[in-house]
């Protein structure tokens, strides 16, 4: 079945550590996105990528980094510079650029301990 | 101008009733309005979307009503079922861009 796979589902990190969240899609979609979801707030865009080897910052990119070396993979690194990293992270994709998120993964819940 | 205001924050409806969730926006450049459904512990899923050239779009039990002059749009779930219990998000965007502005979500509970 085609879809977006995020791993791990739950992740615990100590303060000061970097951590990488995985996102893989087998939908052959060009565009991929990372969103952050906090209780009582709408989804906020961290980074998006329209094509391999290209990505742009979203509204809350500080403290995060991404790479897009392969079409199917868009990993997100939460660095120690991110002041409040505890959140639910969602990866999404769309068939083509400029279309916005159509399919979402099941999310990774990151907790800083 | 970039906000999308969604209400209510939570909603309880009896089985068979109509669930209504409202969203309002300010940016008149928005021209694409999707709704997403999210079950606990899962990612959102695109449910239905509308463009401002129509006032209503219906897909099964789900209907979007759009009022361009009032800059408001709403989701109606007819014959609500317990399986519809989820969080619903509205969003607004300028079609052809990546930039989606999401509402804060409405947690719907349909009582059996």
């Amino acid at each position: 079945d085609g879809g977006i796979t995020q791993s791990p589902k739950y992740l615990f990190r100590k303060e000061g550590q970097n951590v990488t969240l995985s996102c893989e899609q087998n939908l052959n979609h060009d565009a991929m996105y990372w969103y952050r979801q906090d209780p009582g707030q709408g989804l906020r865009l961290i980074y998006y990528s329209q094509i391999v080897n290209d990505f742009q910052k979203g509204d809350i990119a500080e403290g995060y980094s991404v790479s897009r070396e392969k079409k199917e993979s868009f990993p997100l690194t939460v660095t120690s510079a991110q002041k409040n990293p505890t959140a639910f992270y969602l990866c999404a994709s769309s068939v083509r650029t400029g279309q916005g998120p159509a399919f979402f993964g099941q999310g990774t819940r990151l907790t800083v301990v | 101008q970039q906000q999308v205001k969604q209400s209510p924050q939570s909603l309880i409806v009896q089985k068979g009733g109509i669930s209504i969730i409202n969203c309002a926006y300010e940016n008149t450049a928005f021209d694409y309005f999707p709704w997403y459904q999210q079950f606990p512990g899962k990612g959102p899923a695109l449910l239905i979307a509308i463009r401002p050239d129509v006032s209503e779009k219906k897909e099964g039990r789900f209907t979007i009503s759009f009022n361009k002059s009032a800059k408001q749009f709403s989701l109606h779930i007819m014959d609500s079922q317990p399986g519809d219990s989820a969080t619903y998000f509205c969003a607004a965007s300028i079609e052809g861009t990546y930039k989606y502005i999401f509402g804060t979500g409405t947690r719907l509970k349909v009582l059996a």
Side-chain angles (χ1 to χ4, degrees):
Chain A
D1 288 339
I4 299 177
T5 301
Q6 288 187 243
S7 61
K9 190 172 182 178
Y10 299 96
L11 188 57
F12 295 88
R13 190 197 88 175
K14 291 183 179 179
E15 282 193 26
Q17 288 182 338
N18 293 354
V19 64
T20 297
L21 282 58
S22 171
C23 177
E24 302 280 331
Q25 55 104 352
N26 60 3
L27 300 164
N28 200 33
H29 285 178
D30 286 328
M32 297 187 74
Y33 310 80
W34 273 105
Y35 286 89
R36 172 179 170 141
Q37 187 174 28
D38 295 284
Q41 295 194 38
L43 279 66
R44 293 183 290 167
L45 182 64
I46 304 172
Y47 269 96
Y48 76 104
S49 168
Q50 300 182 71
I51 198 168
V52 174
N53 292 324
D54 182 67
F55 48 83
Q56 286 79 42
K57 293 181 179 180
D59 298 318
I60 55 167
E62 185 175 350
Y64 300 98
S65 66
V66 294
S67 63
R68 187 88 186 273
E69 297 178 359
K70 298 184 295 182
K71 186 175 185 178
E72 59 269 23
S73 179
F74 191 40
L76 173 74
T77 297
V78 184
T79 75
S80 57
Q82 168 52 232
K83 299 303 181 189
N84 185 22
T86 295
F88 190 50
Y89 291 89
L90 288 160
C91 179
S93 71
S94 59
V95 173
R96 58 182 182 271
T97 61
Q99 197 175 40
F103 294 88
F104 282 84
Q106 296 203 0
T108 293
R109 186 166 298 279
L110 173 64
T111 303
V112 174
V113 297
Chain B
Q1 273 230 333
Q2 290 296 317
Q3 269 191 318
V4 174
K5 295 182 179 179
Q6 184 172 346
S7 64
Q9 188 174 9
S10 62
L11 181 61
I12 299 175
V13 173
Q14 294 287 338
K15 179 182 177 182
I18 301 174
S19 304
I20 302 174
I21 304 170
N22 302 298
C23 285
Y25 64 98
E26 296 179 354
N27 188 346
T28 55
F30 289 145
D31 58 5
Y32 183 67
F33 304 90
W35 284 89
Y36 293 84
Q37 180 188 55
Q38 183 178 28
F39 293 104
K42 307 293 186 184
L46 180 62
L47 187 62
I48 186 173
I50 196 168
R51 293 176 175 82
D53 53 343
V54 296
S55 60
E56 186 175 281
K57 182 175 181 179
K58 184 176 181 179
E59 289 186 5
R61 295 185 293 109
F62 299 90
T63 299
I64 300 179
S65 297
F66 185 81
N67 186 330
K68 188 173 181 178
S69 61
K71 291 184 283 186
Q72 294 176 349
F73 58 109
S74 59
L75 176 69
H76 296 234
I77 306 174
M78 314 300 288
D79 187 26
S80 298
Q81 300 296 313
D84 297 330
S85 297
T87 299
Y88 293 82
F89 291 92
C90 63
S93 76
I94 299 172
E95 194 166 15
T97 73
Y98 68 92
K99 185 89 171 177
Y100 277 38
I101 306 298
F102 286 84
T104 52
T106 295
R107 182 174 291 184
L108 171 66
K109 184 175 179 65
V110 181
L111 301 177

